[in-house]
Amino acid sequence: MSGEERDPQPVGIPGFETLMAESLEALGEPGMVERLLHRVGESLGSHKVVLFCPLPGSDDPLAAYQWGMPDDFLARYANLIQGSDAWSEALVRQQGEALARGGSLSQQLVSTPALRRGAFYADYLKPLGIDAMVNSIVEASPEVGMHVLAMYNDLGQNEFTPEQFARLRAVTPWVRSLMRAQRRLQQARRHSSALERTLDQLPLGLMHVNQRGEVRYLNEHARAWLGVEDECRILLRNATGWQARQPLQLAQIHPGLTPLLTASLSTRSPVSARLQTQHDTAPGTLVALAAPLRNGPGPAAEPLAQFILVPEAPPHAGATVSVCSALYGLTPAEAALLPLLLQGMTPREMADNRHVKMPTVRSQLASLYAKTGTRGQAELAQRVLRVAALVTA
């Protein structure tokens, strides 16, 4: 079959849509791509399948997933080709045309009889126990490099058929979609890990809970103060493994948290309460502030609540207020609100405690936000607690 012949039309592969759906569900799981290659090979009649996926700029230009190949396949391949071979050079020359028509097959670039007469067959294919090969370019760009899906036949097996060529081409867009989805997930995980490290450094407890009371995330302070051993580090919506795990229920952590969740989500506003803790690593009393949190765009986004936990009486509270007053140029009336803020009081509770009117408290809070460069009570509390951490260090 030569490159002059017309491309075969895609041929459906029974069960392959189900396979891809299962693979998307398993994104990020160890061995997920290898399992996909196994199923692809079985569907297309090949015992050896490799997905070459080098990353530009990396130290491993021959990165690949594989099924059915020897463990030292890539090392042997690198030694054999020594950075150059006729097959790779043909792919590079024709990749633009190949991508335009949905992938290129090796027998269209180099006929199998010609392949067997060349040094590439003697030096590369035969030592690996391979008698024929066929491949499709999955994608190629400066950002991701050239991804190639390759199938091989063992020595003594028949050559790949035109139907197998057609099926490989039909598979290629599915594999391309899967690899792109995996890259997006990996990028989101990197961002999520960076965010988790930042949240763990905050001098307060942070917790995310869905409307069913399933705890999705706790930072280090929240786990320590509430005595929770479950990692619960699911910041990504539909993160891998989330549906399979047994979720930690809010009611298992503290009986006072569930009413806060209900009230916050039903009123769509922040609510707070004081919680008594019984753990050695926790303060005697925590102030818990629960507020609705929108998880992603669109009407189908899962309603979440965010809990912020602070000790009712932070150590050296007086020194913290004095330092904040000096740092931000606070008036005595503004500084007097800081301890109340750290106790989780609402503006109404602050007004009652200070025996002043609500407009006065709102004006003082607005001035606090402006002077500290914050945009709300939660962010202001974080700023004050950072000062407290420096004072107590």
Side-chain angles (χ1 to χ4, degrees):
M1 183 172 179
S2 69
E4 300 303 319
E5 298 179 28
R6 65 183 181 86
D7 294 337
Q9 294 300 309
V11 177
I13 301 173
F16 197 75
E17 291 191 19
T18 301
L19 167 61
M20 289 303 298
E22 292 172 356
S23 298
L24 287 171
E25 286 292 323
L27 276 177
E29 290 182 3
M32 178 272 294
V33 179
E34 288 82 355
R35 293 197 300 273
L36 170 68
L37 294 180
H38 184 182
R39 296 280 293 277
V40 168
E42 287 183 333
S43 300
L44 301 183
S46 174
H47 301 292
K48 301 177 185 293
V49 188
V50 178
L51 177 61
F52 293 93
C53 48
L55 296 176
S58 74
D59 296 329
D60 190 6
L62 291 176
Y65 297 101
Q66 61 192 54
W67 172 75
M69 302 297 285
D71 292 339
D72 62 347
F73 160 67
L74 285 179
R76 291 168 63 180
Y77 176 41
N79 290 333
L80 287 167
I81 66 172
Q82 297 181 352
S84 176
D85 65 82
W87 169 68
S88 298
E89 291 170 359
L91 285 176
V92 171
R93 285 196 307 270
Q94 300 192 31
Q95 66 173 320
E97 179 186 348
L99 286 171
R101 65 173 186 260
S104 175
L105 306 174
S106 63
Q107 274 86 349
Q108 292 178 301
L109 300 174
V110 183
S111 66
T112 301
L115 195 66
R116 289 174 178 167
R117 288 195 298 269
F120 180 57
Y121 175 78
D123 294 340
Y124 167 50
L125 295 182
K126 194 171 182 179
L128 289 172
I130 295 169
D131 207 23
M133 62 181 294
V134 59
N135 58 267
S136 180
I137 297 179
V138 176
E139 57 182 323
S141 72
E143 294 74 27
V144 303
M146 184 183 291
H147 288 41
V148 178
L149 180 61
M151 299 193 308
Y152 306 88
N153 271 354
D154 292 322
L155 285 173
Q157 285 188 321
N158 294 329
E159 187 177 335
F160 286 97
T161 65
E163 183 181 5
Q164 286 174 305
F165 297 166
R167 288 191 168 193
L168 180 61
R169 183 164 299 158
V171 163
T172 298
W174 293 87
V175 176
R176 181 185 305 125
S177 299
L178 182 67
M179 298 307 295
R180 288 176 176 174
Q182 181 166 340
R183 287 200 298 272
R184 288 194 295 269
L185 177 61
Q186 290 169 340
Q187 182 181 35
R189 281 182 165 175
R190 288 193 293 270
H191 291 324
S192 176
S193 296
L195 177 58
E196 286 176 354
R197 289 193 295 271
T198 300
L199 296 178
D200 280 339
Q201 294 171 1
L202 295 176
L204 49 78
L206 188 68
M207 179 167 55
H208 291 174
V209 185
N210 66 19
Q211 62 183 346
R212 296 182 298 279
E214 297 170 349
V215 180
R216 292 183 63 90
Y217 175 78
L218 296 100
N219 72 348
E220 286 189 4
H221 275 310
R223 289 196 298 275
W225 291 346
L226 296 172
V228 176
E229 296 183 1
D230 191 320
E231 280 291 311
C232 284
R233 303 183 76 82
I234 311 295
L235 284 179
L236 289 177
R237 177 172 171 79
N238 294 330
T240 299
W242 167 253
Q243 302 298 335
R245 71 190 294 277
Q246 184 64 35
L248 178 67
Q249 295 291 329
L250 189 65
Q252 297 174 251
I253 298 178
H254 194 289
L257 292 171
T258 302
L260 282 180
L261 173 68
T262 303
S264 173
L265 293 181
S266 62
T267 62
R268 299 178 181 273
S269 61
V271 294
S272 63
R274 291 168 178 80
L275 308 176
Q276 294 298 318
T277 60
Q278 304 296 325
H279 307 287
D280 295 339
T281 57
T285 304
L286 289 174
V287 176
L289 174 68
L293 180 68
R294 182 72 174 272
N295 185 26
E302 179 183 34
L304 294 177
Q306 176 173 271
F307 285 76
I308 294 177
L309 308 171
V310 295
E312 184 175 36
H316 306 287
T320 300
V321 171
S322 299
V323 171
C324 286
S325 296
L327 280 174
Y328 301 114
L330 307 183
T331 67
E334 292 166 354
L337 293 183
L338 297 184
L340 308 182
L341 175 75
L342 294 179
Q343 294 176 38
M345 287 191 182
T346 64
R348 169 58 65 189
E349 290 172 329
M350 293 179 187
D352 293 343
N353 182 277
R354 298 286 297 155
H355 304 292
V356 297
K357 295 181 179 180
M358 273 290 290
T360 301
V361 169
R362 293 192 184 280
S363 175
Q364 291 168 347
L365 285 173
S367 180
L368 278 171
Y369 301 150
K371 289 180 178 180
T372 58
T374 55
R375 294 177 294 181
Q377 284 184 241
E379 192 174 342
L380 177 58
Q382 292 177 17
R383 182 67 55 85
V384 175
L385 284 169
R386 286 196 185 100
V387 174
L390 293 173
V391 171
T392 58

